[in-house]
Amino acid sequence: MKHHRHLVRAGAALIGAALLFFVVRALVMPKSFGRFGHFRGDNIAEQAAIPAVHGAPEACAECHMEVAETKVAGKHASVPCQDCHGPLALHITEAGKEQMPMHRSFTLCARCHQQLAARPAAFPQIDLMEHLDVVGAGHDALTTNEAICFDCHRPHSPSPALAPGTKTKSR
Amino acid sequence: MAGAAITVALLRITPAQAAEHAIGMLPGTNYDPEEHLYAYVIDITKCIGCGMCVQACSRENKVPDHFFRTWVERYTVSEQGEVIVDSPNGGKDGFKPITPGFKVAKSYFVPKLCNHCANTPCTQVCPVGASYNTPEGVVLVDPKRCIGCGYCVQACPFGSRFINPVTKTAEKCTWCYHRVTKGMKPACVEACPVGARMFGDLKNERDPIRKIVTEAHLAILQPEKLTKPRCYYLGFDKEIR
């Protein structure tokens, strides 16, 4: 009956292979894999822990109340601060307070107000060249004075326009 | 017998254990994923195509140049029904006037992002379990497990995924999971100056998104794909693909 030994050997090899499989599996698989589904459960918390770059919309007003009041009373009330000024993380850093980059260019204003067929008709839009004609600035004003919009429009409360040349740097 | 035992061992977890493991609060927060179910609504009639959302997304998530987690498309339709779709740099720098070569009958902007489908083709094809759906309905990628095979990029019918050229792993919109778990809105929603992008929690009774999702006339992208998107569109039009 020595033929039985073949079966015993094969059986032992199978059990050994199965054991090896589970040992390797336990070593290779991350601990939290499968806790909530077919993925590494710890990743949920890792993703949530990434720091935010943009601040909450009300964060700016905590320090810049005056500007926030001007903005809320004007036509740009719904425009988020960080759209034009950049994310809060550039301003409040681990090293302290940093100067916010200022994008004072007509291209910034044109992003919303350049006349386009695809924009909703009720949204205030201008044909830039036509507008320069109307205010009598001339077409080459854009190349000589990038911040030309701010000559008449206060960015935080752009309407009504001021007399050209009033040059309100801010507010 | 042995077969049954192996099956149980392979699953590693019984339903009773699964209940025990209910996610609970995320460590160090009072945020419980099981208490939320998010939805995203885009109002096409309000979008002005300023691209502030794309810019905010790329800054918030450090998206590499020329890749997009969200983008804005401009549809220009002629009187004969010809359609031109353009999205210069994903709309990140805004749009300039175009001359389509026909008389424009109508034109509009369509913001796009991951639809965070309930029935996701992208997570189903992941061979390493790197992509998954969270209990809140957010589709995420675990960058530590992703091997960058790109199956999910091909599987997504909406083109929402890409392989990050720096990390070489799949990347996509997370609905700013790191912001919403802190009680903020996704960066694109907070960047929109006209309220064309809305985001909220369907499990929160006071959230205005509930009224919109239950009562408004909403459309989804590519309904024939049966992916059950959680991004809904107001003011949808037949040309939109």
Side-chain angles (χ1 to χ4, degrees), chain B:
Chain B
M1 269 304 279
I6 287 170
T7 312
V8 167
L10 279 177
L11 284 173
R12 273 170 44 119
I13 193 161
T14 65
Q17 276 175 314
E20 251 173 49
H21 274 304
I23 292 184
M25 304 292 180
L26 291 183
T29 67
N30 56 0
Y31 178 88
D32 182 355
E34 307 272 11
E35 285 176 1
H36 306 272
L37 182 65
Y38 295 121
Y40 198 109
V41 176
I42 296 159
D43 191 342
I44 291 169
T45 60
K46 281 186 185 164
C47 181
I48 59 168
C50 62
M52 290 298 184
C53 45
V54 185
Q55 180 182 275
C57 173
S58 90
R59 287 173 174 169
E60 181 71 38
N61 300 296
K62 298 167 188 71
V63 181
D65 281 349
H66 313 299
F67 291 89
F68 306 97
R69 290 185 179 199
T70 183
W71 65 99
V72 181
E73 293 172 359
R74 168 168 55 188
Y75 282 68
T76 311
V77 186
S78 80
E79 286 173 330
Q80 278 73 42
E82 299 155 82
V83 184
I84 292 179
V85 185
D86 72 326
S87 183
N89 197 21
K92 194 163 142 186
D93 311 315
F95 288 80
K96 292 190 169 54
I98 48 162
T99 40
F102 53 67
K103 191 165 181 295
V104 179
K106 60 179 172 184
S107 184
Y108 47 84
F109 294 107
V110 183
K112 288 192 175 172
L113 65 155
C114 170
N115 283 287
H116 293 272
C117 307
N119 191 13
T120 42
C122 55
T123 60
Q124 287 171 33
V125 298
C126 181
V128 293
S131 193
Y132 60 94
N133 300 50
T134 73
E136 309 102 305
V138 184
V139 179
L140 295 177
V141 181
D142 179 351
K144 284 190 188 156
R145 284 203 61 82
C146 177
I147 54 170
C149 67
Y151 285 176
C152 57
V153 178
Q154 286 193 326
C156 175
F158 310 102
S160 304
R161 289 174 170 246
F162 58 90
I163 300 290
N164 184 312
V166 182
T167 61
K168 311 276 194 244
T169 58
E171 208 178 290
K172 63 182 289 298
C173 161
T174 63
W175 270 350
C176 282
Y177 194 71
H178 61 294
R179 294 176 64 84
V180 299
T181 50
K182 296 179 181 79
M184 290 187 275
K185 301 264 184 212
C188 52
V189 174
E190 280 183 355
C192 184
V194 292
R197 287 171 176 257
M198 288 160 278
F199 178 85
D201 183 357
L202 294 175
K203 286 191 183 170
N204 178 357
E205 281 175 26
R206 284 166 302 171
D207 201 310
I209 205 89
R210 262 173 73 130
K211 195 173 166 61
I212 301 172
V213 170
T214 51
E215 292 176 16
H217 295 251
L218 298 166
I220 51 169
L221 287 173
Q222 304 191 39
E224 73 280 6
K225 299 273 165 43
L226 308 174
T227 64
K228 296 187 189 156
R230 287 197 171 96
C231 282
Y232 304 96
Y233 285 88
L234 275 164
F236 201 77
D237 209 345
K238 63 184 187 300
E239 290 85 15
I240 301 172
R241 292 288 174 267

